Amino acid sequence: VVGDQCVTRALAGTGGDGVVAFEPGQPVMVSAIDYGADPVDGTLVGLTLDEAVIARDDDRAGRVHVHFPRHGFTIRKKDRSTT
């Protein structure tokens, strides 16, 4: 699926403290739960039962979509005021 062809609907996921609803375009942080727990910030682009996709802007590469597996990773909402 090419970036602009990806359709995301609200989906419940776990952020470590229970079920949380996520919306497309929402600022989120994704991190591994067992190693390398440095969070990766971005904007939620896609969320399925198997993966989370966030958009990030890079000085050299431009806008990129980073794919994370749902298993072994946690997704948390990020406060919009800190983005």
Side-chain angles (χ1 to χ4, degrees):
V1 175
V2 178
D4 61 352
Q5 296 172 346
C6 181
V7 176
T8 305
R9 294 183 296 267
L11 181 66
T14 55
D17 55 355
V19 177
V20 180
F22 293 94
E23 295 289 334
Q26 182 174 38
V28 294
M29 296 182 301
V30 180
S31 59
I33 56 177
D34 59 351
Y35 66 92
D38 292 332
V40 178
D41 297 341
T43 302
L44 185 64
V45 174
L47 185 62
T48 69
L49 295 175
D50 297 320
E51 75 173 354
V53 183
I54 63 171
R56 294 179 47 84
D57 292 311
D58 180 82
D59 291 338
R60 290 179 33 194
R63 172 145 299 196
V64 295
H65 288 183
V66 183
H67 295 247
F68 295 91
R70 293 288 301 271
H71 180 74
F73 285 78
T74 183
I75 306 164
R76 297 189 186 277
K77 293 179 181 181
K78 186 172 181 180
D79 182 3
R80 288 183 189 269
S81 65
T82 61
T83 59

